[in-house]
Amino acid sequence: MEYLDSTHGEWDSMWQELASYDINDGDPLCIHQGLCWEYMGSTDNHHNFRHSRHPATGRIEHVYIERYQSAIRWA
């Protein structure tokens, strides 16, 4: 697992994709009771996000976003 910082080329696109999920309704943070989406790190294949209490469900939610470089390898 690696941690990408905010200057990494994939940073903006992974947050935009997270926001595009139906559960998030265009909001990349989904702040609820002082909690929001947290970037947990990246593997060779995915970016990993966690929300401790998502406003849409009231539960812990996890999202795994496929990395662009991973999709290219399959092409």
Side-chain angles (χ1 to χ4, degrees), residues 17-41:
E17 187 166 346
L18 177 65
S20 75
Y21 278 52
D22 288 341
I23 192 172
N24 296 327
D25 197 29
D27 183 355
L29 295 179
C30 296
I31 298 171
H32 180 65
Q33 296 180 341
L35 303 168
C36 65
W37 279 109
E38 299 173 76
Y39 169 62
M40 305 304 291

Side-chain angles (χ1 to χ4, degrees), residues 8-23:
H8 192 278
E10 295 179 68
W11 187 262
D12 290 336
S13 62
M14 68 186 189
W15 284 98
Q16 288 172 356
E17 187 166 346
L18 177 65
S20 75
Y21 278 52
D22 288 341
I23 192 172

Side-chain angles (χ1 to χ4, degrees), residues 7 11-12 26 29 33 37 43 45-48 55 57 60 67:
T7 62
W11 187 262
D12 290 336
L29 295 179
Q33 296 180 341
W37 279 109
T43 66
N45 301 318
H46 294 91
H47 301 295
N48 304 291
T57 65
I60 296 172
R67 288 186 80 164

Side-chain angles (χ1 to χ4, degrees), residues 54-73:
H54 196 281
T57 65
R59 299 186 318 233
I60 296 172
E61 299 291 343
H62 295 269
V63 169
Y64 305 97
I65 296 174
E66 186 171 12
R67 288 186 80 164
Y68 178 71
Q69 66 189 28
S70 174
I72 290 174
R73 279 184 268 186

